[in-house]
């Protein structure tokens, strides 16, 4: 197994609430939510570097571009 590193985060009440909501929605842990968020962020930044666009399409076919800071 790969070596793991431990970090400590300080979050605002709002950010902590968002983390808790994502944990409940995904049925996961704080650590897994953060790991998945990092994977998604990495993907988005790599695609941005390749001049790609992230598009979300709703059930009714409406498309929106997602901009990642």
């Amino acid at each position: 197994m790969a070596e793991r590193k431990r970090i400590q985060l300080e979050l605002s009440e709002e950010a902590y609430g968002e983390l808790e909501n994502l944990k409940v929605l995904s049925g996961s842990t704080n650590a897994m939510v953060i790991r998945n968020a990092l994977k998604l962020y990495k993907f988005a930044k790599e695609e941005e570097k390749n001049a790609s666009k992230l598009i979300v399409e709703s059930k009714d076919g409406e498309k929106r571009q997602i901009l990642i800071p």
Side-chain angles (χ1 to χ4, degrees):
M1 185 161 102
E3 182 180 338
R4 293 183 179 252
K5 303 287 184 186
R6 181 174 293 272
I7 64 168
Q8 185 172 344
L9 297 174
E10 187 171 311
L11 300 172
S12 67
E13 285 291 325
E14 181 183 2
Y16 184 77
E18 290 172 2
L19 178 60
E20 287 296 307
N21 287 337
L22 288 169
K23 186 172 78 170
V24 170
L25 283 172
S26 64
S28 191
T29 64
N30 287 341
M32 187 56 74
V33 169
I34 291 170
R35 281 194 291 273
N36 287 335
L38 287 171
K39 288 176 190 176
L40 181 58
Y41 187 70
K42 179 183 176 193
F43 172 79
K45 296 311 273 183
E46 287 172 349
E47 290 302 313
E48 179 184 272
K49 189 168 78 175
N50 293 326
S52 298
K53 294 179 183 177
L54 294 176
I55 306 294
V56 173
E57 185 174 350
S58 68
K59 290 187 279 190
D60 63 358
E62 179 185 343
K63 294 180 183 178
R64 296 179 295 155
Q65 182 177 353
I66 303 300
L67 301 175
I68 305 292

